[in-house]
Amino acid sequence: LSPVPLRVVAFKLTHGAGPGEAAAAVQALFARSGADFVVQNDSAAAPPAGDLPADLYRREGGPAVRCAGRAELVRTLEQMLVNAGPAG
């Protein structure tokens, strides 16, 4: 096992979910997974070419952070993980 406490990031893909349905799916994933963060994408929102937008949620709540694509998601998630500090 790692001597460094871990943070868990879960991923939730929906298709055609409205904002309420997507949020409910994310909360259900938090409840059953123990994840610290959830990245939620909706495949119906995928542009014909390019990045799939994502919403990034924190276990402790607050509004989701909208990321336009993968590069923004990576930067935002990295910053959230650094700011969250050690797990536990």
Side-chain angles (χ1 to χ4, degrees), residues 7-62:
R7 293 278 180 187
V8 176
V9 179
F11 293 81
K12 182 64 185 172
L13 179 65
T14 57
H15 181 78
E21 294 169 308
V26 166
Q27 291 309 312
L29 184 54
F30 273 130
R32 72 177 180 271
S33 71
D36 298 294
F37 301 92
V38 172
V39 175
Q40 186 270 327
N41 307 90
D42 194 282
S43 61
D51 279 346
L52 181 63
D55 290 320
L56 183 53
Y57 294 80
R58 298 174 189 89
R59 171 172 283 290
E60 59 269 9

mmCIF file of all heavy atoms in Angstrom, residues 7-62:
data_model
loop_
_atom_site.group_PDB
_atom_site.id
_atom_site.type_symbol
_atom_site.label_atom_id
_atom_site.label_comp_id
_atom_site.label_asym_id
_atom_site.label_seq_id
_atom_site.Cartn_x
_atom_site.Cartn_y
_atom_site.Cartn_z
ATOM 1 N N ARG A 7 -6.462 9.964 -2.940
ATOM 2 C CA ARG A 7 -7.735 10.592 -3.291
ATOM 3 C C ARG A 7 -8.316 9.781 -4.439
ATOM 4 O O ARG A 7 -7.586 9.315 -5.311
ATOM 5 C CB ARG A 7 -7.535 12.034 -3.756
ATOM 6 C CG ARG A 7 -7.054 12.968 -2.690
ATOM 7 C CD ARG A 7 -8.217 13.422 -1.864
ATOM 8 N NE ARG A 7 -7.756 14.326 -0.822
ATOM 9 C CZ ARG A 7 -8.546 14.757 0.117
ATOM 10 N NH1 ARG A 7 -9.808 14.380 0.152
ATOM 11 N NH2 ARG A 7 -8.097 15.569 1.033
ATOM 12 N N VAL A 8 -9.632 9.619 -4.445
ATOM 13 C CA VAL A 8 -10.296 8.825 -5.477
ATOM 14 C C VAL A 8 -11.124 9.740 -6.363
ATOM 15 O O VAL A 8 -11.914 10.553 -5.873
ATOM 16 C CB VAL A 8 -11.198 7.738 -4.845
ATOM 17 C CG1 VAL A 8 -11.972 6.980 -5.914
ATOM 18 C CG2 VAL A 8 -10.362 6.788 -4.003
ATOM 19 N N VAL A 9 -10.926 9.598 -7.683
ATOM 20 C CA VAL A 9 -11.703 10.333 -8.671
ATOM 21 C C VAL A 9 -12.527 9.297 -9.443
ATOM 22 O O VAL A 9 -11.974 8.374 -10.027
ATOM 23 C CB VAL A 9 -10.803 11.123 -9.641
ATOM 24 C CG1 VAL A 9 -11.646 11.862 -10.679
ATOM 25 C CG2 VAL A 9 -9.903 12.089 -8.875
ATOM 26 N N ALA A 10 -13.851 9.454 -9.422
ATOM 27 C CA ALA A 10 -14.748 8.564 -10.154
ATOM 28 C C ALA A 10 -15.252 9.288 -11.397
ATOM 29 O O ALA A 10 -15.222 10.515 -11.471
ATOM 30 C CB ALA A 10 -15.920 8.154 -9.264
ATOM 31 N N PHE A 11 -15.710 8.513 -12.353
ATOM 32 C CA PHE A 11 -16.206 9.061 -13.609
ATOM 33 C C PHE A 11 -17.624 8.565 -13.856
ATOM 34 O O PHE A 11 -17.910 7.387 -13.674
ATOM 35 C CB PHE A 11 -15.290 8.656 -14.761
ATOM 36 C CG PHE A 11 -13.932 9.273 -14.659
ATOM 37 C CD1 PHE A 11 -12.960 8.727 -13.843
ATOM 38 C CD2 PHE A 11 -13.637 10.434 -15.360
ATOM 39 C CE1 PHE A 11 -11.711 9.301 -13.720
ATOM 40 C CE2 PHE A 11 -12.388 11.035 -15.247
ATOM 41 C CZ PHE A 11 -11.420 10.458 -14.422
ATOM 42 N N LYS A 12 -18.514 9.480 -14.259
ATOM 43 C CA LYS A 12 -19.903 9.139 -14.538
ATOM 44 C C LYS A 12 -20.260 9.649 -15.925
ATOM 45 O O LYS A 12 -20.253 10.854 -16.185
ATOM 46 C CB LYS A 12 -20.831 9.771 -13.489
ATOM 47 C CG LYS A 12 -22.292 9.426 -13.697
ATOM 48 C CD LYS A 12 -22.504 7.952 -13.524
ATOM 49 C CE LYS A 12 -23.915 7.529 -13.825
ATOM 50 N NZ LYS A 12 -24.046 6.085 -13.837
ATOM 51 N N LEU A 13 -20.578 8.748 -16.825
ATOM 52 C CA LEU A 13 -21.009 9.097 -18.172
ATOM 53 C C LEU A 13 -22.517 8.926 -18.253
ATOM 54 O O LEU A 13 -23.050 7.865 -17.916
ATOM 55 C CB LEU A 13 -20.322 8.211 -19.212
ATOM 56 C CG LEU A 13 -20.704 8.466 -20.662
ATOM 57 C CD1 LEU A 13 -20.260 9.865 -21.105
ATOM 58 C CD2 LEU A 13 -20.089 7.403 -21.563
ATOM 59 N N THR A 14 -23.214 9.972 -18.676
ATOM 60 C CA THR A 14 -24.654 9.904 -18.887
ATOM 61 C C THR A 14 -24.928 10.157 -20.367
ATOM 62 O O THR A 14 -24.025 10.490 -21.125
ATOM 63 C CB THR A 14 -25.391 10.959 -18.023
ATOM 64 O OG1 THR A 14 -24.881 12.253 -18.334
ATOM 65 C CG2 THR A 14 -25.217 10.688 -16.536
ATOM 66 N N HIS A 15 -26.187 9.997 -20.749
ATOM 67 C CA HIS A 15 -26.573 10.273 -22.134
ATOM 68 C C HIS A 15 -27.920 10.972 -22.122
ATOM 69 O O HIS A 15 -28.939 10.373 -21.770
ATOM 70 C CB HIS A 15 -26.649 8.998 -22.972
ATOM 71 C CG HIS A 15 -27.010 9.288 -24.401
ATOM 72 N ND1 HIS A 15 -26.095 9.777 -25.303
ATOM 73 C CD2 HIS A 15 -28.189 9.219 -25.051
ATOM 74 C CE1 HIS A 15 -26.688 9.967 -26.466
ATOM 75 N NE2 HIS A 15 -27.967 9.643 -26.336
ATOM 76 N N GLY A 16 -27.920 12.242 -22.483
ATOM 77 C CA GLY A 16 -29.166 13.002 -22.567
ATOM 78 C C GLY A 16 -29.765 13.364 -21.218
ATOM 79 O O GLY A 16 -30.951 13.661 -21.141
ATOM 80 N N ALA A 17 -28.967 13.351 -20.161
ATOM 81 C CA ALA A 17 -29.473 13.683 -18.830
ATOM 82 C C ALA A 17 -29.583 15.189 -18.667
ATOM 83 O O ALA A 17 -28.687 15.931 -19.061
ATOM 84 C CB ALA A 17 -28.543 13.114 -17.761
ATOM 85 N N GLY A 18 -30.686 15.627 -18.078
ATOM 86 C CA GLY A 18 -30.824 17.036 -17.725
ATOM 87 C C GLY A 18 -29.967 17.328 -16.497
ATOM 88 O O GLY A 18 -29.420 16.406 -15.883
ATOM 89 N N PRO A 19 -29.861 18.602 -16.120
ATOM 90 C CA PRO A 19 -29.019 18.953 -14.979
ATOM 91 C C PRO A 19 -29.392 18.220 -13.689
ATOM 92 O O PRO A 19 -28.522 17.766 -12.954
ATOM 93 C CB PRO A 19 -29.213 20.465 -14.830
ATOM 94 C CG PRO A 19 -29.650 20.925 -16.174
ATOM 95 C CD PRO A 19 -30.415 19.779 -16.775
ATOM 96 N N GLY A 20 -30.677 18.093 -13.424
ATOM 97 C CA GLY A 20 -31.124 17.386 -12.213
ATOM 98 C C GLY A 20 -30.790 15.909 -12.245
ATOM 99 O O GLY A 20 -30.367 15.335 -11.244
ATOM 100 N N GLU A 21 -30.978 15.289 -13.411
ATOM 101 C CA GLU A 21 -30.658 13.854 -13.553
ATOM 102 C C GLU A 21 -29.159 13.609 -13.424
ATOM 103 O O GLU A 21 -28.741 12.643 -12.782
ATOM 104 C CB GLU A 21 -31.133 13.338 -14.914
ATOM 105 C CG GLU A 21 -32.634 13.339 -15.081
ATOM 106 C CD GLU A 21 -33.026 13.086 -16.531
ATOM 107 O OE1 GLU A 21 -32.516 13.793 -17.424
ATOM 108 O OE2 GLU A 21 -33.837 12.166 -16.739
ATOM 109 N N ALA A 22 -28.373 14.472 -14.017
ATOM 110 C CA ALA A 22 -26.919 14.334 -13.935
ATOM 111 C C ALA A 22 -26.457 14.492 -12.489
ATOM 112 O O ALA A 22 -25.649 13.694 -11.992
ATOM 113 C CB ALA A 22 -26.228 15.351 -14.837
ATOM 114 N N ALA A 23 -26.977 15.495 -11.783
ATOM 115 C CA ALA A 23 -26.597 15.719 -10.381
ATOM 116 C C ALA A 23 -27.009 14.537 -9.520
ATOM 117 O O ALA A 23 -26.255 14.116 -8.634
ATOM 118 C CB ALA A 23 -27.210 17.017 -9.865
ATOM 119 N N ALA A 24 -28.184 13.973 -9.773
ATOM 120 C CA ALA A 24 -28.634 12.802 -9.004
ATOM 121 C C ALA A 24 -27.733 11.596 -9.267
ATOM 122 O O ALA A 24 -27.401 10.846 -8.338
ATOM 123 C CB ALA A 24 -30.090 12.471 -9.351
ATOM 124 N N ALA A 25 -27.320 11.407 -10.516
ATOM 125 C CA ALA A 25 -26.412 10.303 -10.849
ATOM 126 C C ALA A 25 -25.063 10.478 -10.156
ATOM 127 O O ALA A 25 -24.476 9.511 -9.661
ATOM 128 C CB ALA A 25 -26.231 10.216 -12.364
ATOM 129 N N VAL A 26 -24.588 11.713 -10.092
ATOM 130 C CA VAL A 26 -23.317 11.997 -9.413
ATOM 131 C C VAL A 26 -23.451 11.719 -7.918
ATOM 132 O O VAL A 26 -22.587 11.083 -7.309
ATOM 133 C CB VAL A 26 -22.876 13.452 -9.678
ATOM 134 C CG1 VAL A 26 -21.758 13.879 -8.738
ATOM 135 C CG2 VAL A 26 -22.452 13.609 -11.125
ATOM 136 N N GLN A 27 -24.541 12.183 -7.306
ATOM 137 C CA GLN A 27 -24.725 11.963 -5.868
ATOM 138 C C GLN A 27 -24.842 10.476 -5.548
ATOM 139 O O GLN A 27 -24.314 10.008 -4.529
ATOM 140 C CB GLN A 27 -25.948 12.729 -5.360
ATOM 141 C CG GLN A 27 -25.758 14.235 -5.377
ATOM 142 C CD GLN A 27 -24.472 14.683 -4.702
ATOM 143 O OE1 GLN A 27 -24.131 14.266 -3.598
ATOM 144 N NE2 GLN A 27 -23.712 15.542 -5.377
ATOM 145 N N ALA A 28 -25.509 9.715 -6.415
ATOM 146 C CA ALA A 28 -25.604 8.266 -6.205
ATOM 147 C C ALA A 28 -24.225 7.621 -6.293
ATOM 148 O O ALA A 28 -23.908 6.714 -5.512
ATOM 149 C CB ALA A 28 -26.556 7.650 -7.240
ATOM 150 N N LEU A 29 -23.392 8.096 -7.206
ATOM 151 C CA LEU A 29 -22.037 7.565 -7.327
ATOM 152 C C LEU A 29 -21.209 7.905 -6.092
ATOM 153 O O LEU A 29 -20.485 7.054 -5.568
ATOM 154 C CB LEU A 29 -21.371 8.091 -8.602
ATOM 155 C CG LEU A 29 -19.981 7.560 -8.920
ATOM 156 C CD1 LEU A 29 -19.934 6.027 -8.941
ATOM 157 C CD2 LEU A 29 -19.503 8.123 -10.244
ATOM 158 N N PHE A 30 -21.322 9.124 -5.587
ATOM 159 C CA PHE A 30 -20.640 9.483 -4.344
ATOM 160 C C PHE A 30 -21.071 8.544 -3.217
ATOM 161 O O PHE A 30 -20.245 8.049 -2.460
ATOM 162 C CB PHE A 30 -20.951 10.926 -3.935
ATOM 163 C CG PHE A 30 -20.055 11.966 -4.541
ATOM 164 C CD1 PHE A 30 -20.603 13.081 -5.159
ATOM 165 C CD2 PHE A 30 -18.677 11.866 -4.474
ATOM 166 C CE1 PHE A 30 -19.792 14.076 -5.702
ATOM 167 C CE2 PHE A 30 -17.852 12.849 -5.017
ATOM 168 C CZ PHE A 30 -18.412 13.952 -5.633
ATOM 169 N N ALA A 31 -22.371 8.297 -3.111
ATOM 170 C CA ALA A 31 -22.907 7.487 -2.016
ATOM 171 C C ALA A 31 -22.389 6.054 -2.032
ATOM 172 O O ALA A 31 -22.145 5.469 -0.983
ATOM 173 C CB ALA A 31 -24.438 7.493 -2.067
ATOM 174 N N ARG A 32 -22.207 5.495 -3.211
ATOM 175 C CA ARG A 32 -21.798 4.087 -3.268
ATOM 176 C C ARG A 32 -20.308 3.868 -3.496
ATOM 177 O O ARG A 32 -19.829 2.752 -3.326
ATOM 178 C CB ARG A 32 -22.624 3.328 -4.290
ATOM 179 C CG ARG A 32 -22.356 3.612 -5.716
ATOM 180 C CD ARG A 32 -23.204 2.720 -6.637
ATOM 181 N NE ARG A 32 -22.924 3.014 -8.008
ATOM 182 C CZ ARG A 32 -23.550 3.925 -8.739
ATOM 183 N NH1 ARG A 32 -24.535 4.614 -8.218
ATOM 184 N NH2 ARG A 32 -23.207 4.130 -9.989
ATOM 185 N N SER A 33 -19.572 4.913 -3.849
ATOM 186 C CA SER A 33 -18.177 4.692 -4.220
ATOM 187 C C SER A 33 -17.157 5.181 -3.203
ATOM 188 O O SER A 33 -16.037 4.704 -3.194
ATOM 189 C CB SER A 33 -17.892 5.395 -5.553
ATOM 190 O OG SER A 33 -17.876 6.807 -5.369
ATOM 191 N N GLY A 34 -17.509 6.161 -2.415
ATOM 192 C CA GLY A 34 -16.531 6.757 -1.521
ATOM 193 C C GLY A 34 -15.552 7.682 -2.229
ATOM 194 O O GLY A 34 -14.546 8.077 -1.657
ATOM 195 N N ALA A 35 -15.845 8.054 -3.477
ATOM 196 C CA ALA A 35 -14.957 8.939 -4.241
ATOM 197 C C ALA A 35 -14.887 10.318 -3.599
ATOM 198 O O ALA A 35 -15.831 10.768 -2.948
ATOM 199 C CB ALA A 35 -15.450 9.064 -5.680
ATOM 200 N N ASP A 36 -13.762 10.976 -3.805
ATOM 201 C CA ASP A 36 -13.582 12.349 -3.331
ATOM 202 C C ASP A 36 -14.057 13.360 -4.368
ATOM 203 O O ASP A 36 -14.487 14.460 -4.015
ATOM 204 C CB ASP A 36 -12.101 12.601 -3.021
ATOM 205 C CG ASP A 36 -11.603 11.690 -1.923
ATOM 206 O OD1 ASP A 36 -12.078 11.831 -0.783
ATOM 207 O OD2 ASP A 36 -10.767 10.814 -2.212
ATOM 208 N N PHE A 37 -13.954 12.984 -5.646
ATOM 209 C CA PHE A 37 -14.357 13.831 -6.767
ATOM 210 C C PHE A 37 -15.055 12.957 -7.798
ATOM 211 O O PHE A 37 -14.742 11.776 -7.927
ATOM 212 C CB PHE A 37 -13.141 14.488 -7.438
ATOM 213 C CG PHE A 37 -12.328 15.344 -6.521
ATOM 214 C CD1 PHE A 37 -11.244 14.824 -5.836
ATOM 215 C CD2 PHE A 37 -12.641 16.679 -6.336
ATOM 216 C CE1 PHE A 37 -10.494 15.608 -4.983
ATOM 217 C CE2 PHE A 37 -11.891 17.479 -5.479
ATOM 218 C CZ PHE A 37 -10.818 16.940 -4.802
ATOM 219 N N VAL A 38 -15.982 13.557 -8.546
ATOM 220 C CA VAL A 38 -16.616 12.860 -9.668
ATOM 221 C C VAL A 38 -16.546 13.766 -10.890
ATOM 222 O O VAL A 38 -16.891 14.951 -10.826
ATOM 223 C CB VAL A 38 -18.087 12.483 -9.388
ATOM 224 C CG1 VAL A 38 -18.764 11.930 -10.645
ATOM 225 C CG2 VAL A 38 -18.181 11.463 -8.260
ATOM 226 N N VAL A 39 -16.092 13.190 -12.000
ATOM 227 C CA VAL A 39 -16.100 13.853 -13.299
ATOM 228 C C VAL A 39 -17.317 13.311 -14.047
ATOM 229 O O VAL A 39 -17.442 12.102 -14.229
ATOM 230 C CB VAL A 39 -14.815 13.549 -14.097
ATOM 231 C CG1 VAL A 39 -14.894 14.156 -15.491
ATOM 232 C CG2 VAL A 39 -13.585 14.042 -13.346
ATOM 233 N N GLN A 40 -18.215 14.200 -14.448
ATOM 234 C CA GLN A 40 -19.437 13.772 -15.144
ATOM 235 C C GLN A 40 -19.442 14.348 -16.549
ATOM 236 O O GLN A 40 -19.218 15.537 -16.748
ATOM 237 C CB GLN A 40 -20.667 14.246 -14.354
ATOM 238 C CG GLN A 40 -21.988 13.733 -14.892
ATOM 239 C CD GLN A 40 -22.623 14.647 -15.921
ATOM 240 O OE1 GLN A 40 -22.500 15.863 -15.870
ATOM 241 N NE2 GLN A 40 -23.307 14.061 -16.875
ATOM 242 N N ASN A 41 -19.641 13.467 -17.524
ATOM 243 C CA ASN A 41 -19.788 13.859 -18.927
ATOM 244 C C ASN A 41 -21.137 13.352 -19.413
ATOM 245 O O ASN A 41 -21.625 12.338 -18.935
ATOM 246 C CB ASN A 41 -18.743 13.196 -19.837
ATOM 247 C CG ASN A 41 -17.326 13.396 -19.388
ATOM 248 O OD1 ASN A 41 -16.817 12.588 -18.637
ATOM 249 N ND2 ASN A 41 -16.690 14.430 -19.845
ATOM 250 N N ASP A 42 -21.683 14.024 -20.405
ATOM 251 C CA ASP A 42 -22.894 13.542 -21.059
ATOM 252 C C ASP A 42 -22.577 13.349 -22.536
ATOM 253 O O ASP A 42 -22.233 14.305 -23.240
ATOM 254 C CB ASP A 42 -24.056 14.519 -20.884
ATOM 255 C CG ASP A 42 -25.363 13.864 -21.266
ATOM 256 O OD1 ASP A 42 -25.640 13.743 -22.478
ATOM 257 O OD2 ASP A 42 -26.101 13.433 -20.365
ATOM 258 N N SER A 43 -22.671 12.105 -22.986
ATOM 259 C CA SER A 43 -22.287 11.800 -24.364
ATOM 260 C C SER A 43 -23.152 12.523 -25.387
ATOM 261 O O SER A 43 -22.717 12.774 -26.511
ATOM 262 C CB SER A 43 -22.301 10.289 -24.608
ATOM 263 O OG SER A 43 -23.593 9.764 -24.392
ATOM 264 N N ALA A 44 -24.363 12.909 -25.024
ATOM 265 C CA ALA A 44 -25.225 13.650 -25.954
ATOM 266 C C ALA A 44 -24.709 15.069 -26.172
ATOM 267 O O ALA A 44 -25.076 15.714 -27.150
ATOM 268 C CB ALA A 44 -26.657 13.682 -25.431
ATOM 269 N N ALA A 45 -23.829 15.555 -25.289
ATOM 270 C CA ALA A 45 -23.273 16.907 -25.411
ATOM 271 C C ALA A 45 -21.986 16.930 -26.229
ATOM 272 O O ALA A 45 -21.394 17.984 -26.415
ATOM 273 C CB ALA A 45 -23.002 17.481 -24.026
ATOM 274 N N ALA A 46 -21.576 15.767 -26.716
ATOM 275 C CA ALA A 46 -20.317 15.686 -27.459
ATOM 276 C C ALA A 46 -20.440 16.400 -28.800
ATOM 277 O O ALA A 46 -21.365 16.135 -29.565
ATOM 278 C CB ALA A 46 -19.932 14.232 -27.680
ATOM 279 N N PRO A 47 -19.510 17.294 -29.083
ATOM 280 C CA PRO A 47 -19.512 17.918 -30.400
ATOM 281 C C PRO A 47 -19.061 16.907 -31.457
ATOM 282 O O PRO A 47 -18.441 15.894 -31.110
ATOM 283 C CB PRO A 47 -18.497 19.054 -30.260
ATOM 284 C CG PRO A 47 -17.610 18.639 -29.148
ATOM 285 C CD PRO A 47 -18.427 17.770 -28.237
ATOM 286 N N PRO A 48 -19.368 17.155 -32.718
ATOM 287 C CA PRO A 48 -18.962 16.209 -33.766
ATOM 288 C C PRO A 48 -17.458 15.948 -33.766
ATOM 289 O O PRO A 48 -17.012 14.851 -34.041
ATOM 290 C CB PRO A 48 -19.395 16.889 -35.059
ATOM 291 C CG PRO A 48 -20.401 17.906 -34.664
ATOM 292 C CD PRO A 48 -20.112 18.277 -33.246
ATOM 293 N N ALA A 49 -16.688 16.961 -33.442
ATOM 294 C CA ALA A 49 -15.237 16.799 -33.337
ATOM 295 C C ALA A 49 -14.773 17.664 -32.173
ATOM 296 O O ALA A 49 -15.311 18.738 -31.942
ATOM 297 C CB ALA A 49 -14.555 17.249 -34.624
ATOM 298 N N GLY A 50 -13.816 17.181 -31.449
ATOM 299 C CA GLY A 50 -13.293 17.985 -30.349
ATOM 300 C C GLY A 50 -13.552 17.349 -29.009
ATOM 301 O O GLY A 50 -13.931 16.189 -28.901
ATOM 302 N N ASP A 51 -13.352 18.148 -27.991
ATOM 303 C CA ASP A 51 -13.432 17.675 -26.613
ATOM 304 C C ASP A 51 -14.854 17.573 -26.103
ATOM 305 O O ASP A 51 -15.714 18.382 -26.445
ATOM 306 C CB ASP A 51 -12.665 18.623 -25.697
ATOM 307 C CG ASP A 51 -11.170 18.381 -25.706
ATOM 308 O OD1 ASP A 51 -10.738 17.324 -26.195
ATOM 309 O OD2 ASP A 51 -10.437 19.250 -25.209
ATOM 310 N N LEU A 52 -15.056 16.619 -25.229
ATOM 311 C CA LEU A 52 -16.327 16.446 -24.534
ATOM 312 C C LEU A 52 -16.286 17.290 -23.261
ATOM 313 O O LEU A 52 -15.375 17.136 -22.448
ATOM 314 C CB LEU A 52 -16.535 14.968 -24.181
ATOM 315 C CG LEU A 52 -17.814 14.582 -23.465
ATOM 316 C CD1 LEU A 52 -19.030 14.883 -24.346
ATOM 317 C CD2 LEU A 52 -17.787 13.098 -23.122
ATOM 318 N N PRO A 53 -17.234 18.204 -23.078
ATOM 319 C CA PRO A 53 -17.255 18.996 -21.844
ATOM 320 C C PRO A 53 -17.463 18.091 -20.627
ATOM 321 O O PRO A 53 -18.021 17.001 -20.742
ATOM 322 C CB PRO A 53 -18.452 19.932 -22.020
ATOM 323 C CG PRO A 53 -18.866 19.812 -23.430
ATOM 324 C CD PRO A 53 -18.319 18.534 -23.966
ATOM 325 N N ALA A 54 -17.023 18.564 -19.480
ATOM 326 C CA ALA A 54 -17.160 17.796 -18.242
ATOM 327 C C ALA A 54 -17.522 18.716 -17.092
ATOM 328 O O ALA A 54 -17.157 19.890 -17.083
ATOM 329 C CB ALA A 54 -15.856 17.072 -17.922
ATOM 330 N N ASP A 55 -18.247 18.176 -16.131
ATOM 331 C CA ASP A 55 -18.518 18.864 -14.874
ATOM 332 C C ASP A 55 -17.773 18.120 -13.782
ATOM 333 O O ASP A 55 -17.814 16.881 -13.711
ATOM 334 C CB ASP A 55 -20.018 18.883 -14.562
ATOM 335 C CG ASP A 55 -20.782 19.798 -15.509
ATOM 336 O OD1 ASP A 55 -20.258 20.876 -15.822
ATOM 337 O OD2 ASP A 55 -21.889 19.431 -15.929
ATOM 338 N N LEU A 56 -17.104 18.854 -12.919
ATOM 339 C CA LEU A 56 -16.290 18.282 -11.859
ATOM 340 C C LEU A 56 -16.936 18.616 -10.520
ATOM 341 O O LEU A 56 -17.140 19.784 -10.196
ATOM 342 C CB LEU A 56 -14.872 18.847 -11.958
ATOM 343 C CG LEU A 56 -13.824 18.354 -10.994
ATOM 344 C CD1 LEU A 56 -13.725 16.838 -10.981
ATOM 345 C CD2 LEU A 56 -12.474 18.953 -11.364
ATOM 346 N N TYR A 57 -17.269 17.575 -9.760
ATOM 347 C CA TYR A 57 -17.952 17.712 -8.476
ATOM 348 C C TYR A 57 -17.032 17.302 -7.332
ATOM 349 O O TYR A 57 -16.240 16.381 -7.476
ATOM 350 C CB TYR A 57 -19.181 16.789 -8.418
ATOM 351 C CG TYR A 57 -20.288 17.136 -9.370
ATOM 352 C CD1 TYR A 57 -20.228 16.761 -10.701
ATOM 353 C CD2 TYR A 57 -21.417 17.821 -8.929
ATOM 354 C CE1 TYR A 57 -21.259 17.060 -11.580
ATOM 355 C CE2 TYR A 57 -22.448 18.123 -9.804
ATOM 356 C CZ TYR A 57 -22.360 17.735 -11.123
ATOM 357 O OH TYR A 57 -23.385 18.028 -11.986
ATOM 358 N N ARG A 58 -17.193 17.974 -6.175
ATOM 359 C CA ARG A 58 -16.472 17.627 -4.946
ATOM 360 C C ARG A 58 -17.414 16.901 -3.995
ATOM 361 O O ARG A 58 -18.588 17.268 -3.899
ATOM 362 C CB ARG A 58 -15.984 18.889 -4.231
ATOM 363 C CG ARG A 58 -15.023 19.727 -4.982
ATOM 364 C CD ARG A 58 -14.765 21.017 -4.169
ATOM 365 N NE ARG A 58 -14.014 21.974 -4.913
ATOM 366 C CZ ARG A 58 -14.532 22.903 -5.712
ATOM 367 N NH1 ARG A 58 -15.831 22.996 -5.872
ATOM 368 N NH2 ARG A 58 -13.762 23.740 -6.362
ATOM 369 N N ARG A 59 -16.888 15.929 -3.266
ATOM 370 C CA ARG A 59 -17.704 15.201 -2.289
ATOM 371 C C ARG A 59 -18.345 16.154 -1.289
ATOM 372 O O ARG A 59 -19.500 15.977 -0.900
ATOM 373 C CB ARG A 59 -16.865 14.166 -1.533
ATOM 374 C CG ARG A 59 -17.635 13.543 -0.355
ATOM 375 C CD ARG A 59 -16.928 12.404 0.299
ATOM 376 N NE ARG A 59 -17.009 11.183 -0.469
ATOM 377 C CZ ARG A 59 -18.101 10.445 -0.651
ATOM 378 N NH1 ARG A 59 -19.245 10.817 -0.140
ATOM 379 N NH2 ARG A 59 -18.070 9.346 -1.348
ATOM 380 N N GLU A 60 -17.601 17.169 -0.858
ATOM 381 C CA GLU A 60 -18.135 18.070 0.171
ATOM 382 C C GLU A 60 -19.200 19.019 -0.353
ATOM 383 O O GLU A 60 -19.762 19.802 0.399
ATOM 384 C CB GLU A 60 -17.020 18.836 0.884
ATOM 385 C CG GLU A 60 -16.166 19.693 -0.006
ATOM 386 C CD GLU A 60 -14.942 18.989 -0.561
ATOM 387 O OE1 GLU A 60 -14.792 17.766 -0.419
ATOM 388 O OE2 GLU A 60 -14.120 19.678 -1.183
ATOM 389 N N GLY A 61 -19.485 18.956 -1.639
ATOM 390 C CA GLY A 61 -20.564 19.754 -2.205
ATOM 391 C C GLY A 61 -20.080 21.031 -2.868
ATOM 392 O O GLY A 61 -18.903 21.186 -3.163
ATOM 393 N N GLY A 62 -21.010 21.912 -3.083
ATOM 394 C CA GLY A 62 -20.720 23.147 -3.802
ATOM 395 C C GLY A 62 -21.061 22.970 -5.265
ATOM 396 O O GLY A 62 -21.364 21.859 -5.724
#
